[in-house]
Amino acid sequence: MALAPHRLVWMSLWLEAPVEQDAALTREVAVALAPFGRVTVTSRGPYRRTPELLSFDVELVPSSSTTDCLLALGLSPDEDGDWPVWERTGGGVFLHPAVRGAQVGEEEAATPPPFENGDVVTVLDSPTAREEGLVGVEAVVHSSFYLPDEPDPLLRRWRHQVMPEGREMLEPFESAELRPTGRREVVADVPDPVYIAHAGPV
């Protein structure tokens, strides 16, 4: 099967190390992942819940499928096909000896999600929008996903969890049921990447 044009593996990593090693560990994690594709490692500094751990975000565009990449990294999906949190409880090592925990996820589809978190959209007329009284209401995109019963990446359709104006619950809509307004709102504090490693064209 041909590789899907849009492939992304993301990771949240927690490393046990003093803050003085932050920059060096950022580079070392990027170097460890560079053979698998194009990688960006972003340092978030001490983890707010456990300050002795440093927190890092990773975005990896793999040169293989996302599943093959995660398997090559030594991870295994659970019976539902999800990638469980990795914790260093049995003496193993993931990417770097300082890693104490890792949460991973993947995206693989024909195209990237048409909306990003924070995009302000207008809910268009659809049976769901009419039922919920949301036709014409503006909403903020909080996440993008596709259904697990769409195994072929090239056939997957993006859906989005949005927060409609005046509501306190997220509502799911397909991309075609939303129209961009061109405006954005901040839904998360995302720092600029501090180190990017390239393993060649992907």
Side-chain angles (χ1 to χ4, degrees):
M1 181 182 296
L3 289 176
H6 173 68
R7 305 184 305 283
L8 177 66
V9 169
W10 60 263
M11 303 181 189
S12 295
L13 303 176
W14 294 273
L15 280 67
E16 187 173 13
V19 70
E20 292 79 13
Q21 295 183 19
D22 187 272
L25 289 171
T26 302
R27 290 190 297 271
E28 290 169 19
V29 169
V31 168
L33 285 168
F36 297 92
R38 188 172 70 248
V39 61
T40 302
V41 180
T42 301
S43 168
R44 292 189 173 274
Y47 184 47
R48 65 185 184 280
R49 295 181 182 174
T50 313
E52 61 269 23
L53 298 179
L54 300 178
S55 177
F56 299 85
D57 286 344
V58 173
E59 288 193 353
L60 171 65
V61 180
S63 52
S64 63
S65 72
T66 56
T67 298
D68 287 347
C69 176
L70 290 169
L71 291 172
L73 286 167
L75 301 174
S76 299
D78 60 22
E79 58 184 15
D80 296 321
D82 297 321
W83 301 93
V85 173
W86 182 91
E87 294 181 314
R88 187 176 179 182
T89 56
V93 173
F94 178 64
L95 294 180
H96 191 282
V99 174
R100 291 296 177 267
Q103 184 176 13
V104 304
E106 59 178 318
E107 292 179 4
E108 192 164 10
T111 64
F115 301 112
E116 297 181 359
N117 294 1
D119 283 349
V120 180
V121 296
T122 300
V123 179
L124 301 178
D125 189 7
S126 70
T128 301
R130 289 195 296 272
E131 182 179 345
E132 297 295 331
L134 293 174
V135 177
V137 173
E138 290 191 350
V140 180
V141 175
H142 278 246
S143 66
S144 302
F145 65 99
Y146 43 75
L147 299 181
D149 62 355
E150 297 171 328
D152 186 343
L154 298 178
L155 299 179
R156 289 171 179 162
R157 294 180 299 167
W158 286 105
R159 293 160 171 83
H160 310 275
Q161 292 280 8
V162 304
M163 181 70 74
E165 186 177 8
R167 303 284 181 96
E168 296 184 356
M169 290 185 61
L170 294 171
E171 299 285 349
F173 286 97
E174 293 191 15
S175 300
E177 298 172 327
L178 304 170
R179 182 178 66 230
T181 65
R183 306 197 313 277
R184 289 183 53 79
E185 291 189 5
V186 176
V187 296
D189 181 20
V190 180
D192 293 332
V194 295
Y195 187 83
I196 300 177
H198 296 279
V202 175

